[in-house]
């Protein structure tokens, strides 16, 4: 259940490293002062956290996820080391973070399954105030528009032939999955197949 005043947006994404690079580039173009925090496994304080200029660098430095500070240009927390390539920071702190979680390949008996990552953000309107809320809303729209420009819709089918939409898939991941017929998962035990795109004839009949 969503808490009152919470503003939450989450999209499951299947992406290979080259797709991640494309997504990061599109977000950087949309938010030119963007900065990504690397995320390392283990207890807080075990590794130095950096603010990187790109999603690709943050993922290479850290683990499976990275965090984008919003609003665009927000200064990093005091314990974060800012890379010299990062655009100059503003005097304001961040009000929200966008999580980018990478996809990963899992072994399922004899088959390899591609688990979705995600793009997600959350903040509480009453905590940030109306002006910051509007800025976060506008910048979140830019981030998801960048995601859509770097990926394509992913409609999947369950074992019961139930179709599920609303996810995204990168071009490289799409090529891999369609070529190998690799199964997909959004987490858990359910296994999914990428549904075939409707033909031109089907789309004309549906209009």
């Amino acid at each position: 259940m969503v808490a009152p005043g919470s503003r939450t947006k989450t999209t499951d994404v299947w992406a290979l490293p080259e797709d991640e690079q494309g997504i990061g580039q599109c977000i950087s173009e949309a938010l030119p002062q963007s900065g990504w925090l690397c995320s390392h496994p283990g207890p807080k304080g075990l590794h130095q956290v950096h603010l990187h200029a790109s999603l690709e660098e943050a993922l290479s430095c850290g683990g499976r996820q990275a965090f984008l500070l919003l609003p665009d240009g927000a200064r990093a927390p005091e314990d974060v080391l800012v890379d010299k390539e990062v655009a100059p920071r503003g005097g304001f702190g961040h009000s929200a973070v966008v999580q980018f979680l990478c996809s990963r390949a899992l072994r399922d008996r004899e088959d390899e399954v591609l688990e979705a990552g995600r793009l997600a953000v959350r903040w509480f309107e009453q905590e940030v105030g109306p002006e910051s809320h509007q800025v976060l809303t506008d910048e979140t729209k830019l981030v998801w528009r960048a995601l859509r420009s770097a990926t394509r819709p992913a409609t999947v089918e369950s074992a019961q032939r139930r179709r599920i939409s609303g996810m995204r898939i990168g071009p490289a991941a799409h090529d891999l999955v369609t070529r190998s017929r690799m199964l997909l998962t959004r987490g858990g035990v359910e296994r999914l197949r990428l549904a075939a795109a409707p033909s031109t004839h089907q789309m004309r009949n549906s209009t």
Side-chain angles (χ1 to χ4, degrees):
M1 185 175 182
V2 177
S6 172
R7 294 296 179 263
T8 303
K9 188 174 182 65
T10 303
T11 301
D12 289 332
V13 183
W14 287 283
L16 298 186
E18 49 264 58
D19 299 321
E20 296 162 3
Q21 183 179 0
I23 293 168
Q25 286 175 345
C26 287
I27 292 175
S28 293
E29 290 169 6
L31 300 176
Q33 290 184 299
S34 57
W36 291 89
L37 295 176
C38 53
S39 176
H40 301 267
K44 181 177 174 57
L46 183 63
H47 299 283
Q48 175 66 57
V49 176
H50 310 88
L51 185 69
H52 297 270
S54 71
L55 172 61
E56 183 182 15
E57 291 169 2
L59 293 174
S60 296
C61 178
R64 193 188 165 203
Q65 62 181 346
F67 297 95
L68 173 70
L69 299 180
L70 294 182
D72 190 28
R75 68 174 182 269
E78 291 183 359
D79 58 347
V80 170
L81 184 63
V82 180
D83 287 0
K84 61 182 180 181
E85 293 83 5
V86 174
R89 303 287 90 193
F92 51 90
H94 69 278
S95 303
V97 292
V98 177
Q99 179 204 35
F100 183 88
L101 180 68
C102 294
S103 305
R104 60 179 177 180
L106 304 174
R107 179 61 61 179
D108 185 10
R109 298 187 182 90
E110 299 301 319
D111 299 316
E112 206 171 36
V113 179
L114 188 62
E115 182 180 55
R118 65 174 170 266
L119 195 68
V121 67
R122 183 181 186 184
W123 71 88
F124 291 89
E125 185 176 352
Q126 66 269 31
E127 291 182 1
V128 303
E131 185 175 343
S132 292
H133 168 68
Q134 187 58 57
V135 171
L136 294 174
T137 299
D138 293 342
E139 292 190 356
T140 295
K141 288 179 181 177
L142 291 175
V143 171
W144 260 261
R145 186 181 301 165
L147 174 67
R148 291 192 297 272
S149 70
T151 59
R152 58 191 296 172
T155 300
V156 297
E157 247 180 27
S158 69
Q160 295 75 36
R161 311 287 288 181
R162 179 172 62 95
R163 286 204 166 200
I164 309 166
S165 58
M167 293 77 69
R168 307 293 299 185
I169 188 167
H174 184 272
D175 289 347
L176 172 66
V177 171
T178 52
R179 185 176 65 251
S180 65
R181 299 192 60 80
M182 180 184 289
L183 293 175
L184 303 171
T185 179
R186 300 170 72 188
V189 298
E190 187 177 36
R191 298 297 178 253
L192 307 164
R193 288 195 180 278
L194 190 63
S199 66
T200 305
H201 176 71
Q202 288 173 320
M203 289 193 292
R204 285 173 179 166
N205 287 343
S206 64
T207 57

